[in-house]
Structures are given as C-alpha cells and as structure tokens.
Amino acid sequence: MDDEEEIIIDNDGDGQWENEEQDYELVPRNLSSSERVVEGLPIKRLDGKIERVMRKKEEKKDKDEDEDKEEEEIKIIEDEELGEQEQFDDDFDEDSSLTLEEKILKLKEEIADLAEKLIEDPEENISSLTRLRRMAESKNPYTSRLSTLALVPVFKTICPSYKIRALTETEKREKVSKDVAKLRNFEQILVLNYKNYINILFENSKNFSNTTGRYCTIAACEIVSSLRHFNFRADVIQILCFRITRKPLDEKEFQVFRKCVTTLESLLLEDVDSGDITYDVVRILSKSLKNRSYKVIESVVNIFLSLSLLSDYDPNNISNDDNGIAKIKQRKKDRVYLSKKERKQRKERKLIDEEMRKAEQAVSEEERERFQAQTLKMVLSTYLEILKNKPEYLMAPVLEGLARFGHMANFDLLGDFLEVLKEVSSDILSQYTLDNIILTPNQIRQVLLCITTSFALIANHASYKVSIDLSKFVDSLYKVLPLVSCLDADIEFSHKSLRLIDPLSHIEGEPFKPAVNVSTEIELLLKSLESIFFKSKSGSKLRAAAFTKRIYMALLHTPEKSSIALLKFVEKLTSKYPEVAGLYSTEDRISNGIFLMEEDEPTRSNPDASTLWETVLLEKHYCPSVAKGAKSLLTKSKLSDK
C-alpha cells in the first residue's frame, strides 16, 4: 500500500515537471537584454563547438526622436509662455493697486525688455520672440496692440533679406554640428512665429473701422516694404490688396488706404531687375479686382501705371539666353557623348548652380522675360475686362493705362481691344447732339485716348501686314473736333498748370487728374491727327480736305497757342496733299452740290464744295503769329495754283 502511494506520488511529480518544461518551450525566446545588442557572426572553436557572438550596439540618436523632442520643447516653452501671458493679463486686469497709466507703463516696459533682448542677441533669446508673439494674440487690447507694433522693428531687424527654405528629408537626417543645429532651430522658430504674426495681421486688418485693424494694416505695409524678399511675401501683399479694394469711409481709413496704395506703387517702381515682386503684386491685385467685380476707386487701377518692369520689354523679341544670344536647338549628331557618370555629375552641378543662384537672389534673363510676359498678360486682361464692363469711374484710368501699355499687346488681343475701344468712343459720342450738348471735358478726353490708343496698337503690329479698317475712329475724331474747340476753355491746361480753381467745378466733382498721360486735350488732338495722316494709311485726299475745313472752323475758337499748332499742322498736311490748297480760292473751280457742315462723316460732307473763308477773319486775328500764319498759308496756296 505504501509502495503504491509512492508510485502515484512519483507519477504526479513526473507529470508536473513535464508540463513545466512544455510551458517553457512554448514561451517565445527573447534575445534582447536591458542593453541594446546586435548579433555578430558565430565563431567555431577548435573542439567543433559553435559559439554565439553578441555585441553592444552603438547608441545613435534617431533624427525623428530628436525632432519630436524639439517640437515638444517648443510646445512646452509656448505653453509656459502662454500661461505666463494669461497670468500677466490677469494681473493687468485685476491689479487694482495700479492705475491704468501705471499698468500701461508696466506693459510697455515688459514689451521693450523683450524686444531689446531679441535685437541684441536673437539666437540666444529666440524664446522671447515666441512670448512677444503670444502677447500679440492676447485678448487684452492694450497688450495686443502694443505687442503687434513692437514686433515690426523686431522682425525688420532679425529677419534676413532672403527666403528661409524648409529642410529636406535628407538634411533632417544628416548629422550636423552644434552651431548648425542651433542656427536651424533659430530659423525654424523665426519662420513659425513670423507666419503666425502674418496671420494675426490678416485677421485683425479685416475690420477697417477698428483702431487695431488700422494699426495692423500699417504694420503690414512696413513689413512688406522692408522684408519684400523674405518668406510669405504674397500673404502680406494679400492684406494690402484686401484693404484697398474696399472704399474708405472716413479720413482715418483714407490715410490707411493711401498708405497701402503708396506701398504697392513703391514695390512696383523699385522692382526693375527681378520681376518676381511685380508678378506677385499684379497677380494678387488682379484677382482682388475681379472678386470685387471692379467696383473700386480709381487709385487702385492706377497702381498698374507704376509698373517699371515693362519699360524695356519687347513682346516680339525672340527668347535669348542670359548672354543675349539667341538659343539654337542643337542637333543630335552634334551633341558631345557623355557617359552615365558624366551626365549624373553634370546634373548635380546644375542643381548646385541653381541653388547658389537662388541663394544670391539672382534672376536670369529668361525668368525676367517670363515675369514680364505674364505680368503684361494679366494687366491687359484686367483692362479688357474693365472696358467690357464699362464703369464710368474707371474708364479714364484704364484708357490712360492702355495709352502706356497698349502697344505691347499681343496680336490675339488686338481685335478685342479695337472692338471695345470702338464701342467706348461710340457710346460717348452717341450722347452728343446739336440740340443737347452734355459731353464733359473728361468724356472728350476719353474719346481722344481711344483714338490714339487704337492707332498705337496698329502701329505696333505693322509687321504682320494685316489691313485693319479704322474709319470708325477717323469719323469719331472728325465728330469730336468741334467739341474740343468750343466746349472746353482749358484745352491748353493740365492738372499741373498753375491757375485758379473754377468756383463752379464742385458741381461736377473733383477735376480729373491723369496719372501717366498728362498731355493736354490739344496735344491729344494733334497726336490723333498725326496718327491718321502721317503714321497710318487712313489718310486720303477727301479726308484731308474735310479735316482742313473743320480745323479752320475750330481756329475761330481756339486759344493762341492751339491756333498756332493747328496752322502748322495744316501747312504740313497741305505739303502732303496739294489738292487742299484749292480750298483757299473759288476761282476756276467746278464743284457739285454744297458742303454739308453738320455731317459727322468726312467722306459724306462733300468737302470739295467748301471754301476756307475763315482765312479772312484769321488775317485780322489779335495774335500776330496767328495772323501771319494764316496769310502765309494763303500765299502758298496761290503759288501752288500757278
């Protein structure tokens, strides 16, 4: 009985040991230890045994872990500063022992101390920038306003005059020195705070009537003027364009409006060599105008007139390389053979050269021409859309712009521009009747600008040898000629002329002030006449006679200097068309019908039946020069008849 019990006990013991061994075998092996190890190649001993080799792994900091650690540190710093700022705002609001002036003084000292640290050593005190930017986001208006204004000189001082690009994945993984890592950390925090600061300016500047909104808009003007080559330039320009497309309601808003317009104009004027700034301004401004359906003030459209990038642009020029030599595509058989290694090296050199060029902010001639072409296309497209909408308050600045940039228009846009200009001049002249004269000097000027611009467009594309009929513009000039002499007494004056203001001018609003084409009306008239008879093929004997008769009718009303200029033009016209001399005399002439003075088409007015009887009155003109000029033309006409 005892033996049986012992056997049972042994059997139970054996079963328990086997179960424990089985459990051990099923447990997965864990070869890792507390220390990081790596398995090496096994070693075979002399006795035939194979020994396993484990070596300690060299500890290398993972780049991702380092970045996460840096981000956590930045976040911790920002959270701590945010807590300090909230505590500071609470102290500012709840400290009843100090007066409001003392609280503001304490706030100014705090902000000045942070700004001074940043200006003295920005890399060491970069955490102060984050705190100062957090203060700009404060709900306290005093803290937000003062911090926002204080950040302007800080960013202007510590930000470089080039763009800080983001690090590539390769650059993030590579091992760098301590100084380089410190510089990269400074640049990342700087760009992060600058981006958040621009967002603050954009959000606050939306409220124009608010004092904080006006200060933020002025801060954006200062930032983009000094940091035009730094990051997020387009975002700052967007703030200014958003502001100027809204009409100011009071004097304070108008001052901010003028500040934005002046800033954008200075950006365009000073961007002569590169063109990237001009491209950003024109692109954003054109889009803003379109979003507002072109319901803006005239000064906004006049910003385009400050373009200096297009001063030397020739749209008909072939594409050249940086040395000005025309590019010729090399044939395949003339190419130099390069091995795969050499092609790879050449590609790497090109990448290095491109990176060096960007670091030096150099813009190649190719890129500059590309910016010029895109800028011109956007400006002319904007002008064309405005002309199609025909807003009365924007017609003058658009025509002024076309008078300056219209000759650069592409041939594809030529027909559209001529059609729109024809409609504009026809609509204005359709308001004029002999019984009801309602045209203003500004409207007459618009008609003259339409005529001069149309002939300038054709003259620029003369190489295409395309015949385009411009008789509608000739008829428009013939119709507007009496209006220039009879309706406007200031045809010899511009807005720059020094004279007394008409006390009744306030009835029609402020006088028109052209921004670029400051020519007087008589100068525009003479330019239009020159374009028809001497710079195009629109002139003819019949038209020359009709215009001569109507010019003599205008000479009875024009001022002294205008009369002298018109007489010189008639003398030049008579030299080209001798048949005009027959209008000075009725002797030995046979004509059919009568001269139709009221006819607005020169070819249908029967000018051959007219007589220049106005010469008799002009010979007795009060101005000796006018009287002498009229007698001289009469004498030459008699000599030509002989």
Side-chain angles (χ1 to χ4, degrees), residues 184-319:
R184 288 182 176 179
N185 181 52
F186 166 74
E187 290 179 345
Q188 290 177 2
I189 298 178
L190 175 62
V191 172
L192 176 64
N193 284 283
Y194 184 75
K195 174 63 176 175
N196 293 331
Y197 179 68
I198 299 302
N199 293 336
I200 295 173
L201 296 182
F202 184 78
E203 293 297 328
N204 293 335
S205 61
K206 291 181 179 179
N207 191 357
F208 306 141
S209 59
N210 191 3
T211 305
T212 304
R214 292 195 292 269
Y215 285 153
C216 288
T217 307
I218 295 175
C221 294
E222 296 292 334
I223 286 291
V224 76
S225 298
S226 302
L227 303 177
R228 62 188 67 182
H229 298 292
F230 193 57
N231 299 53
F232 311 112
R233 176 181 59 207
D235 296 337
V236 187
I237 295 175
Q238 180 68 40
I239 298 175
L240 274 60
C241 293
F242 182 80
R243 176 64 191 88
I244 62 177
T245 52
R246 270 69 178 176
K247 186 177 180 180
L249 301 178
D250 53 19
E251 183 63 26
K252 293 182 179 179
E253 291 186 19
F254 182 75
Q255 291 178 0
V256 178
F257 174 85
R258 285 303 313 165
K259 178 70 174 177
C260 296
V261 172
T262 306
T263 302
L264 293 176
E265 289 177 346
S266 64
L267 290 177
L268 296 179
L269 287 172
E270 297 171 7
D271 186 32
V272 182
D273 299 328
S274 59
D276 54 342
I277 300 176
T278 300
Y279 173 74
D280 287 342
V281 173
V282 174
R283 175 177 57 85
I284 298 173
L285 183 57
S286 301
K287 187 176 180 181
S288 301
L289 291 174
K290 186 176 182 180
N291 293 336
R292 291 284 298 167
S293 300
Y294 306 103
K295 296 179 181 179
V296 295
I297 303 178
E298 177 184 337
S299 303
V300 180
V301 181
N302 283 336
I303 293 177
F304 291 135
L305 301 178
S306 300
L307 285 169
S308 59
L309 182 67
L310 302 177
S311 58
D312 59 344
Y313 178 58
D314 184 9
N316 298 321
N317 188 20
I318 59 176
S319 59

Side-chain angles (χ1 to χ4, degrees), residues 381-611:
S381 299
T382 303
Y383 282 160
L384 186 60
E385 291 297 326
I386 295 176
L387 288 176
K388 289 181 179 179
N389 293 332
K390 298 179 182 179
E392 180 66 26
Y393 49 90
L394 292 182
M395 295 303 296
V398 170
L399 292 174
E400 293 286 341
L402 282 178
R404 179 169 181 175
F405 306 116
H407 66 281
M408 302 180 188
N410 191 1
F411 186 77
D412 298 335
L413 295 175
L414 182 61
D416 295 335
F417 273 117
L418 291 177
E419 189 66 28
V420 174
L421 291 173
K422 189 185 300 182
E423 292 179 4
V424 171
S425 58
S426 300
D427 291 344
I428 295 176
L429 291 175
S430 63
Q431 303 175 11
Y432 166 71
T433 58
L434 293 177
D435 298 331
N436 185 19
I437 300 176
I438 57 175
L439 292 186
T440 63
N442 187 17
Q443 291 176 322
I444 296 175
R445 184 182 180 86
Q446 291 181 24
V447 175
L448 294 175
L449 284 172
C450 288
I451 298 170
T452 55
T453 304
S454 61
F455 281 95
L457 290 172
I458 297 300
N460 184 60
H461 297 86
S463 59
Y464 288 96
K465 297 181 181 180
V466 179
S467 179
I468 299 178
D469 184 18
L470 297 178
S471 58
K472 289 293 183 181
F473 295 100
V474 178
D475 296 342
S476 299
L477 182 62
Y478 187 76
K479 185 175 183 179
V480 82
L481 185 56
L483 306 181
V484 176
S485 59
C486 301
L487 299 183
D488 191 4
D490 293 338
I491 60 175
E492 294 182 356
F493 298 101
S494 66
H495 72 283
K496 293 184 177 181
S497 302
L498 183 61
R499 65 188 191 279
L500 295 176
I501 301 176
D502 186 0
L504 301 179
S505 62
H506 67 278
I507 297 177
E508 299 180 358
E510 296 183 358
F512 172 68
K513 297 181 180 181
V516 62
N517 194 345
V518 294
S519 303
T520 60
E521 289 184 20
I522 191 64
E523 290 174 347
L524 290 175
L525 175 61
L526 291 171
K527 187 176 180 180
S528 302
L529 292 171
E530 287 280 342
S531 300
I532 292 175
F533 292 102
F534 299 101
K535 296 182 180 180
S536 68
K537 298 180 180 180
S538 300
S540 63
K541 299 177 182 179
L542 198 62
R543 286 176 176 174
F547 271 93
T548 302
K549 175 59 179 177
R550 187 150 283 195
I551 287 174
Y552 263 85
M553 294 170 60
L555 284 171
L556 301 177
H557 307 281
T558 53
E560 175 183 342
K561 295 180 180 179
S562 300
S563 301
I564 296 173
L566 289 173
L567 286 173
K568 289 183 178 180
F569 174 78
V570 172
E571 182 181 5
K572 185 178 179 181
L573 187 65
T574 307
S575 300
K576 185 176 182 180
Y577 300 98
E579 294 81 6
V580 177
L583 300 178
Y584 287 91
S585 176
T586 58
E587 298 177 0
D588 300 332
R589 291 183 57 202
I590 299 176
S591 60
N592 297 322
I594 60 174
F595 172 63
L596 303 178
M597 183 182 64
E598 298 180 358
E599 181 62 43
D600 291 331
E601 294 184 15
T603 55
R604 299 177 60 182
S605 62
N606 194 17
D608 293 334
S610 64
T611 304

Side-chain angles (χ1 to χ4, degrees), residues 140 374 589:
N140 190 307
Q374 293 176 349
R589 291 183 57 202

Side-chain angles (χ1 to χ4, degrees), residues 21-280:
E21 184 179 3
Q22 185 68 21
D23 294 338
Y24 176 77
E25 288 294 333
L26 293 176
V27 174
R29 291 175 175 80
N30 186 9
L31 301 178
S32 61
S33 59
S34 59
E35 298 179 353
R36 293 188 176 183
V37 294
V38 62
E39 184 175 0
L41 295 174
I43 300 175
K44 187 175 182 181
R45 298 297 182 184
L46 296 176
D47 55 359
K49 293 182 179 180
I50 297 176
E51 182 180 351
R52 187 180 183 186
V53 178
M54 304 295 291
R55 296 176 181 174
K56 290 184 179 180
K57 185 179 180 181
E58 295 181 1
E59 295 185 0
K60 294 182 180 180
K61 292 184 178 179
D62 191 1
K63 193 66 178 177
D64 296 334
E65 294 180 359
D66 294 341
E67 292 177 0
D68 296 340
K69 187 176 180 180
E70 290 178 1
E71 293 178 358
E72 291 178 0
E73 291 177 356
I74 294 174
K75 187 175 180 181
I76 291 172
I77 293 174
E78 291 183 352
D79 293 340
E80 291 177 354
E81 291 170 354
L82 180 60
E84 293 177 2
Q85 178 58 32
E86 292 176 352
Q87 182 65 31
F88 183 82
D89 292 338
D90 294 340
D91 296 340
F92 184 88
D93 296 332
E94 298 178 0
D95 195 354
S96 59
S97 61
L98 299 176
T99 62
L100 180 60
E101 290 77 8
E102 292 175 345
K103 294 178 183 178
I104 296 176
L105 180 60
K106 181 181 177 182
L107 175 63
K108 290 180 178 179
E109 291 176 352
E110 178 74 15
I111 294 174
D113 182 59
L114 293 173
E116 185 178 1
K117 290 181 180 179
L118 283 169
I119 295 175
E120 287 180 356
D121 193 351
E123 292 187 11
E124 292 293 336
N125 302 308
I126 190 62
S127 59
S128 300
L129 180 62
T130 307
R131 181 175 182 184
L132 195 57
R133 191 259 304 168
R134 286 286 188 178
M135 293 173 69
E137 298 175 348
S138 174
K139 297 180 180 179
N140 190 307
Y142 294 103
T143 306
S144 177
R145 188 182 308 167
L146 294 175
S147 302
T148 301
L149 296 178
L151 280 170
V152 174
V154 170
F155 279 120
K156 290 170 64 174
T157 304
I158 67 176
C159 288
S161 58
Y162 56 85
K163 287 185 178 180
I164 298 177
R165 63 176 180 83
L167 298 176
T168 62
E169 295 297 330
T170 305
E171 291 174 338
K172 291 179 180 179
R173 290 192 298 267
E174 66 183 2
K175 192 174 183 180
V176 296
S177 62
K178 185 177 180 181
D179 295 337
V180 175
K182 182 179 179 181
L183 178 60
R184 288 182 176 179
N185 181 52
F186 166 74
E187 290 179 345
Q188 290 177 2
I189 298 178
L190 175 62
V191 172
L192 176 64
N193 284 283
Y194 184 75
K195 174 63 176 175
N196 293 331
Y197 179 68
I198 299 302
N199 293 336
I200 295 173
L201 296 182
F202 184 78
E203 293 297 328
N204 293 335
S205 61
K206 291 181 179 179
N207 191 357
F208 306 141
S209 59
N210 191 3
T211 305
T212 304
R214 292 195 292 269
Y215 285 153
C216 288
T217 307
I218 295 175
C221 294
E222 296 292 334
I223 286 291
V224 76
S225 298
S226 302
L227 303 177
R228 62 188 67 182
H229 298 292
F230 193 57
N231 299 53
F232 311 112
R233 176 181 59 207
D235 296 337
V236 187
I237 295 175
Q238 180 68 40
I239 298 175
L240 274 60
C241 293
F242 182 80
R243 176 64 191 88
I244 62 177
T245 52
R246 270 69 178 176
K247 186 177 180 180
L249 301 178
D250 53 19
E251 183 63 26
K252 293 182 179 179
E253 291 186 19
F254 182 75
Q255 291 178 0
V256 178
F257 174 85
R258 285 303 313 165
K259 178 70 174 177
C260 296
V261 172
T262 306
T263 302
L264 293 176
E265 289 177 346
S266 64
L267 290 177
L268 296 179
L269 287 172
E270 297 171 7
D271 186 32
V272 182
D273 299 328
S274 59
D276 54 342
I277 300 176
T278 300
Y279 173 74
D280 287 342

Side-chain angles (χ1 to χ4, degrees), residues 4-17:
E4 291 179 0
E5 291 178 359
E6 289 179 1
I7 293 172
I8 293 173
I9 293 172
D10 292 338
N11 290 337
D12 293 340
D14 293 339
Q16 187 176 1
W17 182 84

